[in-house]
Amino acid sequence: MKKVFSLHIILLVMASCVAPRVVTQLTPEAPDGHYEMGREYISLSNDNIDVELGYDGIHGENLVFDFVVVNRSPGVLSINPSDFYYVLLDSSTADSSKLPPRMALHPERVLFHYDETLEAKSGEKSANSFLGFLEAGFGLLANTTAFLATDNPGYIVDAVFSTLGTADHYMNQDKKISEDISTINQEKDIVKEGIFRLSHLPAGKVVNGYVYFPQNPDSGYYMFCFPVEDQLFQFVYHQRKVYQYY
């Protein structure tokens, strides 16, 4: 069965003298599932459809899951991620019928966020280059004026190194921004390839992909709901804050 790569790999380093960090954990309220690619997948089935849900982590302000559908029916299944949603629960067994749903993010909205971030980073890169050129220019002008006004060789050397230091600062900033842009582009390519889109799944085939839900940091429980044809698959997860040491 095809699985996409996890977006996040967390390395924990325990240090008893370091203050704990509060992190959010999301765990399924269900029997233990099976693990693949670092995720725990919970399975649900009916006579013709098998589904699995694996929690991938928190990305920005969103909860990310890998959703898997296996079509064991004789016909084609239409699966629209715009229909996916969750409801908030007070407890794992609460009645959710009267609670308003919150929809999953549309795949194109997720990808558009990457475009917005890249545009902002490009603007930051242009501004950094301009400010570096401007500041270095002012420094060069001031140092040239000082050069004409003094016969002190030490002052002249200090002035040259000051100008070089300014240029080096902006060059380092430019390198870091360029690395950030490269990382964001790589992540966008992975998400673009793996995100769950509108699917028409033939008999005997499997489809899976990332699904993004807006996080509610104050919720204790979520019920994630996945309509597939006339079936509704529901997964309850418990959200809690825990301490981790780094």
Side-chain angles (χ1 to χ4, degrees):
M1 182 178 295
K2 173 181 174 289
K3 302 293 182 186
V4 292
F5 287 102
S6 177
L7 293 178
H8 305 282
I9 300 175
I10 303 175
L11 301 178
L12 303 180
V13 180
M14 303 303 294
S16 58
C17 298
V18 180
R21 177 186 175 190
V22 179
V23 298
T24 301
Q25 281 191 348
L26 211 65
T27 54
E29 290 288 303
D32 291 340
H34 63 278
Y35 284 84
E36 290 189 41
M37 302 299 295
R39 304 184 192 90
E40 182 182 9
Y41 285 86
I42 305 301
S43 301
L44 295 175
S45 300
N46 66 13
D47 292 339
N48 296 312
I49 304 171
D50 296 332
V51 301
E52 292 182 344
L53 188 65
Y55 174 56
D56 195 76
I58 298 175
H59 187 256
E61 298 179 350
N62 300 310
L63 304 171
V64 184
F65 292 84
D66 182 29
F67 184 54
V68 185
V69 182
V70 182
N71 183 8
R72 294 189 291 102
S73 73
V76 175
L77 292 180
S78 294
I79 311 166
N80 190 347
S82 296
D83 295 334
F84 301 162
Y85 64 94
Y86 71 71
V87 293
L88 301 177
L89 305 177
D90 293 330
S91 69
S92 60
T93 58
D95 180 10
S96 63
S97 59
K98 295 182 180 180
L99 296 176
R102 192 162 186 188
M103 307 306 295
L105 272 66
H106 192 281
E108 295 306 320
R109 182 68 190 90
V110 174
L111 296 174
F112 181 66
H113 174 73
Y114 282 99
D115 293 334
E116 290 179 320
T117 304
L118 287 168
E119 184 177 352
K121 280 291 181 183
S122 295
E124 184 181 344
K125 181 178 172 68
S126 297
N128 179 75
S129 299
F130 175 75
L131 289 174
F133 175 79
L134 195 64
E135 187 169 330
F138 277 128
L140 182 61
L141 179 62
N143 292 333
T144 301
T145 303
F147 174 79
L148 296 175
T150 183
D151 294 326
N152 184 349
Y155 181 89
I156 296 170
V157 171
D158 289 343
V160 170
F161 275 106
S162 174
T163 303
L164 291 175
T166 298
D168 186 60
H169 166 76
Y170 283 100
M171 288 175 65
N172 287 335
Q173 282 293 103
D174 187 81
K175 180 181 178 181
K176 182 181 183 306
I177 296 170
S178 296
E179 290 173 348
D180 289 345
I181 290 174
S182 177
T183 299
I184 294 168
N185 268 314
Q186 290 174 17
E187 186 174 300
K188 178 186 174 183
D189 289 342
I190 292 172
V191 174
K192 186 176 181 180
E193 176 69 22
I195 201 164
F196 202 109
R197 289 185 171 85
L198 176 65
S199 301
H200 301 288
L201 187 62
K205 298 297 183 179
V206 180
V207 66
N208 76 302
Y210 295 126
V211 181
Y212 287 67
F213 291 96
Q215 184 191 18
N216 187 310
D218 300 321
S219 175
Y221 293 88
Y222 298 86
M223 179 184 287
F224 297 97
C225 303
F226 296 84
V228 180
E229 295 288 355
D230 59 348
Q231 302 295 316
L232 180 62
F233 297 93
Q234 299 172 313
F235 300 83
V236 176
Y237 278 74
H238 182 203
Q239 178 174 260
R240 60 194 180 108
K241 307 290 184 181
V242 298
Y243 290 103
Q244 289 185 349
Y245 293 82
Y246 291 87

